[in-house]
């Protein structure tokens, strides 16, 4: 039987502070009713504290994972940090995470694919395992979205939140683990969802700061249109090419950007809401964090052999789907 990369442990971290819809009503011209009906979000978590970046949450998630799996950092071979809000533009968060978790035998790198980052990381990490050369690959995925959100812009500030998750990939000889992946990208989308300045095109200057160009800009409706079509399509496609009917699928693990996008994807796949992982109401859109945080929240309901379809769409545009069979029963 072919060697598969199975998820063998999960960790997660969400910051304490709850930014509720009621608090947002006092900050911008919005309402709990608008946010709830248009997005499904009730509250999101915000990381507070001077000098704390994305890695702070990632490290917490990994520490929980190590505790649960009973291992330490010295056993890790590779760390892939999926994030759009790395601690710094140059020094990679993955290298810092390796250092802080004692992964002295590992190499690590950051992976930027916006909201699809975790799926890209999962597929990349699974290939390291399948090669036979690496035994323990950590995928750390999350974002401190509050560091790039303009809290005077009601079209974006109600959507995003902070959080991170971590998963461990290990070889599985029984056939459980990542079965297939479809990853897509199309740079046409960068005019609809971006941070204009701070990169090599428009380096930071007093002017870019004054023009608020270091914050996320999103043409919501445009992104919505592409997200609905592509997330639904790629999920249906991965089912089809693996001969899976909706009855065969135990769980849809969708990116948590908008409840309406999730519903449309589930509908296209013919899957009832009882099989759809959902936590957008509690965390909002944590970008790279959404999928591992879904697993973190639903871990106790997952059984060995369950068929999971992951699906995501995000900036770039980037999107994709992964088909994975679950490798362990709840303890
Ligand atoms: O994860 C990365 C990928 N991102 C996504 O997948 C996000 C995709 N897009 C969306 O989820 C939705 O487009 C949003 C949630 C961002 C917006 O929802 P929408 O239903 O597309 O709203 P809209 O942009 O068409 O705006 C409708 C109205 C507008 O007012 P008018 O022009 O009709 O008078 C907006 O100005 O709602 C207004 N509006 C708001 N009202 C209250 C926009 N934001 C708000 C707000 N509160 N926060």
């Amino acid at each position: 039987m072919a060697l598969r990369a199975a998820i063998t442990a999960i960790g997660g971290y969400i910051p304490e502070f709850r930014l509720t819809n009621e608090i947002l009503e006092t900050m911008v011209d919005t309402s709990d009713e608008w946010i709830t009906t248009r997005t499904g979000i009730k509250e999101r978590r915000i990381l507070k504290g001077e000098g704390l970046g994305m890695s702070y949450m990632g490290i917490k998630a990994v520490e929980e994972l190590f505790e649960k799996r009973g291992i330490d950092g010295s056993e890790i071979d590779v760390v892939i940090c999926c994030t759009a809000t790395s601690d710094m533009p140059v020094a990679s968060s993955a290298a810092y995470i390796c250092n802080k978790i004692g992964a002295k035998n590992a190499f690590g790198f950051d992976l930027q694919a916006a909201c699809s980052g975790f799926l890209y990381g999962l597929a990349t990490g699974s290939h390291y395992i399948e090669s036979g050369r690496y035994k323990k690959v950590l995928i750390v995925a999350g974002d401190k979205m509050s560091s790039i959100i303009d809290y005077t812009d009601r079209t974006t500030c109600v959507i995003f939140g902070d959080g991170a998750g971590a998963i461990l990939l290990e070889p599985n000889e029984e056939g459980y683990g990542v079965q297939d992946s479809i990853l897509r990208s199309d740079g046409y989308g960068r005019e609809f969802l971006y941070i204009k300045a701070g990169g090599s095109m428009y380096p930071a200057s007093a002017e870019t700061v004054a023009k608020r160009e270091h914050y996320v800009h999103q043409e919501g409706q445009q992104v919505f249109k592409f997200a609905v079509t592509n997330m639904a399509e790629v999920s249906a496609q991965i089912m089809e090419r693996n001969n899976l009917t909706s009855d065969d699928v135990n769980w849809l693990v969708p990116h948590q950007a908008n409840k309406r996008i999730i519903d449309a994807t589930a509908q296209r796949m013919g899957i009832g809401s009882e099989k759809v992982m959902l936590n957008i109401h509690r965390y909002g859109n944590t970008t790279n964090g959404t999928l591992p945080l879904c697993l973190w929240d639903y871990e106790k309901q997952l059984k060995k052999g369950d068929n999971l379809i992951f699906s995501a769409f995000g900036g770039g545009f980037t999107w994709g789907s992964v088909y994975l069979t679950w490798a362990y029963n709840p303890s």
Side-chain angles (χ1 to χ4, degrees):
M1 186 165 278
L3 193 65
R4 302 276 189 203
I7 295 179
T8 56
I10 309 167
Y13 178 81
I14 40 154
E16 294 276 306
F17 183 78
R18 293 164 195 264
L19 178 60
T20 61
N21 290 352
E22 288 68 32
I23 300 174
L24 281 165
E25 283 175 350
T26 69
M27 296 164 61
V28 289
D29 180 15
T30 191
S31 65
D32 172 49
E33 202 261 333
W34 191 95
I35 302 171
T36 307
T37 54
R38 296 289 176 128
T39 71
I41 303 167
K42 285 304 218 181
E43 61 180 40
R44 55 304 277 142
R45 301 299 183 100
I46 304 293
L47 181 64
K48 304 263 188 184
E50 175 84 24
L52 300 185
M54 177 273 161
S55 72
Y56 176 83
M57 299 185 291
I59 291 162
K60 293 264 190 210
V62 173
E63 284 168 353
E64 189 194 72
L65 182 153
F66 282 177
E67 174 88 33
K68 281 161 80 174
R69 183 75 182 86
I71 58 169
D72 66 52
S74 66
E75 297 174 53
I76 301 298
D77 300 307
V78 185
V79 174
I80 305 177
C81 179
C82 311
T83 187
T85 52
S86 199
D87 289 0
M88 296 179 185
V90 171
S92 89
S93 290
Y96 184 74
I97 292 171
C98 284
N99 182 271
K100 288 295 168 188
I101 63 171
K104 49 183 184 289
N105 301 310
F107 69 92
F109 59 91
D110 288 2
L111 187 158
Q112 215 288 44
C115 294
S116 309
F118 176 78
L119 283 192
Y120 279 45
L122 180 58
T124 306
S126 72
H127 299 321
Y128 281 116
I129 297 287
E130 288 156 9
S131 77
R133 191 166 159 192
Y134 304 96
K135 306 290 179 211
K136 286 188 171 59
V137 177
L138 259 184
I139 315 291
V140 187
D143 276 290
K144 184 183 168 185
M145 293 305 291
S146 62
S147 66
I148 52 170
I149 292 301
D150 181 353
Y151 286 93
T152 65
D153 175 5
R154 70 173 181 175
T155 68
T156 50
C157 76
V158 303
I159 297 168
F160 295 97
D162 302 340
I167 60 149
L168 182 66
L169 292 175
E170 294 186 78
N172 186 294
E173 282 165 9
E174 293 177 284
Y176 299 115
V178 176
Q179 307 292 319
D180 194 13
S181 62
I182 303 175
L183 304 178
R184 311 281 301 150
S185 58
D186 184 350
Y188 163 76
R190 88 169 175 181
E191 65 183 281
F192 304 117
L193 178 48
Y194 58 82
I195 294 177
K196 185 171 177 188
S200 54
M201 277 169 76
Y202 301 101
S205 68
E207 195 188 341
T208 61
V209 172
K211 287 160 82 177
R212 307 182 84 78
E213 289 172 352
H214 294 271
Y215 293 121
V216 171
H217 174 87
Q218 176 172 251
E219 307 282 332
Q221 261 186 33
Q222 289 293 337
V223 180
F224 186 90
K225 223 166 54 190
F226 282 93
V228 165
T229 314
N230 288 307
M231 228 171 101
E233 201 47 47
V234 79
S235 310
Q237 203 184 339
I238 208 160
M239 281 172 68
E240 219 170 274
R241 87 176 189 192
N242 289 279
N243 300 312
L244 295 170
T245 67
S246 53
D247 287 340
D248 298 324
V249 176
N250 300 93
W251 293 100
L252 167 63
V253 194
H255 174 51
Q256 311 279 309
N258 188 317
K259 172 97 170 29
R260 290 184 287 145
I261 300 173
I262 295 171
D263 291 344
T265 303
Q267 196 179 10
R268 172 79 170 80
M269 295 166 73
I271 284 178
S273 59
E274 73 286 354
K275 291 183 178 180
V276 180
M277 292 192 189
L278 198 75
N279 56 20
I280 189 171
H281 50 297
R282 293 161 60 209
Y283 311 143
N285 181 352
T286 55
T287 304
N288 282 271
T290 62
L291 298 177
L293 285 172
C294 278
L295 294 179
W296 188 55
D297 279 343
Y298 282 81
E299 185 182 15
K300 287 197 171 62
Q301 297 181 53
L302 293 171
K303 291 190 238 21
K304 192 168 176 175
D306 277 356
N307 288 318
L308 276 61
I309 303 285
F310 294 80
S311 182
F313 183 89
F317 293 135
T318 57
W319 68 99
S321 191
V322 168
Y323 164 38
L324 172 144
T325 53
W326 199 248
Y328 61 96
N329 283 314
S331 55

